[in-house]
Amino acid sequence: MGIRIAVAGASGYAGGELLRLVAGHPEFDLVAATAHSQAGQPVSAVHPQLAGLDLTLAATDPAALADADLVFLALPHGQSAALAASLPPGVKVVDLGADHRLADAAAWQRYYGGPHAGAWTYGLPELPGQRAAIAAADRVAATGCYAVATTLALAPLVAAGAVAPADVVVVAASGTSGAGRAAKAHLLGSEVMGDLSPYKVGAHQHVPEIKQATGATGLSFTPVLAPMPRGILATVTAVPATTSVDPRAVLAEAYADAPFVHVLPEGSWPHTAATLGSNSCHLQATRDVDTGRVIVVSAIDNLGKGAAGQAVQCANLMLGLPETTGLSTFGVTP
Ligand SMILES: NC(=O)C1=CN([C@@H]2O[C@H](COP(=O)(O)OP(=O)(O)OC[C@H]3O[C@@H](n4cnc5c(N)ncnc54)[C@H](OP(=O)(O)O)[C@@H]3O)[C@@H](O)[C@H]2O)C=CC1
Ligand SMILES: CC(=O)N[C@@H](CCC(=O)OP(=O)(O)O)C(=O)O
């Protein structure tokens, strides 16, 4: 018997990707998968890509999860805190939702509403000191999908004093799986295909998370829904604080030992398809020839490094395994 793993919210998009990764992980045994409206269904009826995974979705309650060594929570925002609190203290938890990401209760209230559950260790191993913090933690709050793409692009530049933290602009396009599986009219294929549409303009919930993780103090963030199932492409621009720093060199140095963050060769720009199915983030940076602004482009698979892959990377660290175990750095395009 390997390390016993349970997935709550296993019928959703992030949950399905977690099941795929856990089932293929050399050290993990999948002992439970739970759902809400789909409880009682075989996993393969809900996730046809997992045909052959012989497991039935149980109802999401503490008893279904308490026998695991580690539980992944892939539930709607607001559903994780009470469930996590009712699990035995010895059970490690990685929460993919937002409930425990923010330290600032006022920011939580403003962007999510409802009671603030308090902050857990933030699950982005590539931030300075965070690998060790995650390895020592029993409760980890995995990052938001846009927050991963943006933070990996921006944090080293703020830390190096290369950009002005008060004036950062981000425009980021996401595939529709970023919105979850629950049917939404504006996500129907006939509405999404052939269209690009901004949403939550000027008020996206990942703004406080990105500020907390990067040290940026002023951030304008505009998300765009893109006609594709997976992927995030974030374009981050910022005012240079100095002309003496090469932004690409700062990123290359920051991620020299990071197995999943790839600063691409000069002249090569990230695109989403190259990251799909992987736990990788692709980055490139330059200066705008006209304004001198620093431009960083970042691509991830929102269900990989943006969700399930990141969560498994954190779990590996929490369990004393190499962080790359069971994860791919390579994408599946075309
Ligand atoms: N999609 C993405 O790219 C990312 C998602 N996340 C986060 O992961 C979490 C899951 O997202 P995602 O998979 O996209 O969402 P989905 O809508 O695809 O899945 C939601 C899951 O939660 C279950 N659920 C729904 N309502 C309840 C409830 N009241 N109580 C308990 N369980 C419930 C659903 O069960 P059922 O289907 O049986 O009703 C399903 O298993 C969210 O917090 C999301 O923000 C984080 C990063 C990226
Ligand atoms: C396309 C789309 O609608 N995306 C969602 C991402 C939500 C999400 O997954 O948020 P967390 O990563 O914080 O859990 C949005 O912009 O709200």
Side-chain angles (χ1 to χ4, degrees):
M1 188 77 172
I3 299 164
R4 292 166 300 167
I5 302 292
V7 177
S11 52
Y13 284 149
E17 187 68 355
L18 275 167
L19 293 181
R20 187 176 77 83
L21 294 174
V22 171
H25 193 289
E27 306 292 342
F28 289 175
D29 277 332
L30 183 60
V31 294
T34 74
H36 189 59
S37 60
Q38 304 281 6
Q41 294 284 330
V43 163
S44 58
V46 176
H47 294 298
Q49 76 277 22
L50 301 178
L53 186 60
D54 189 16
L55 200 66
T56 298
L57 294 165
T60 298
D61 64 47
L65 305 167
D67 282 343
D69 299 310
L70 184 141
V71 175
F72 293 104
L73 301 178
L75 305 170
H77 297 316
Q79 297 295 329
S80 299
L83 183 61
S86 61
L87 291 172
V91 177
K92 296 178 191 289
V93 181
V94 180
D95 184 10
L96 281 74
D99 291 24
H100 303 96
R101 289 182 197 149
L102 296 182
D104 180 349
W108 171 270
Q109 270 294 334
R110 183 167 175 203
Y111 285 91
Y112 293 95
H116 180 234
W120 288 354
T121 301
Y122 190 58
L124 184 47
E126 289 82 7
L127 289 178
Q130 216 53 21
R131 246 182 213 93
I134 293 165
D138 286 334
R139 299 279 192 272
V140 166
T143 48
C145 48
Y146 284 121
V148 184
T150 304
T151 298
L152 290 174
L154 180 62
L157 297 168
V158 173
V163 297
D167 184 9
V168 178
V169 176
V170 182
V171 178
S174 172
T176 53
S177 64
R181 194 167 199 176
K184 297 177 178 105
H186 72 287
L187 295 176
L188 293 173
S190 51
E191 304 273 335
V192 174
M193 277 186 293
D195 196 22
L196 282 170
S197 53
Y199 65 99
K200 298 183 184 174
V201 177
H204 194 274
Q205 73 273 16
H206 287 177
V207 167
E209 184 181 337
I210 296 166
K211 289 167 75 174
Q212 175 182 285
T214 62
T217 54
L219 182 77
S220 166
F221 183 89
T222 306
V224 177
L225 190 67
M228 57 189 192
R230 283 186 184 218
I232 285 179
L233 189 81
T235 302
V236 179
T237 76
V239 179
T242 161
T243 52
S244 63
V245 177
D246 171 5
R248 186 179 175 283
V250 171
L251 295 174
E253 188 182 339
Y255 298 123
D257 297 323
F260 294 117
V261 184
H262 307 292
V263 179
L264 300 184
E266 277 185 64
S268 190
W269 287 89
H271 56 113
T272 56
T275 66
L276 299 191
S278 80
N279 192 47
S280 286
C281 173
H282 292 182
L283 295 174
Q284 184 58 280
T286 192
R287 280 175 194 272
D288 188 286
V289 291
D290 187 49
T291 64
R293 279 182 82 95
V294 171
I295 306 173
V296 188
V297 176
S298 171
I300 59 167
D301 179 341
N302 58 293
L303 293 176
K305 186 64 175 161
Q310 175 94 300
V312 169
Q313 186 182 352
C314 290
N316 285 337
L317 289 165
M318 295 163 76
L319 294 163
L321 300 170
E323 68 187 290
T324 52
T325 313
L327 294 168
S328 176
T329 53
F330 304 128
V332 296
T333 190

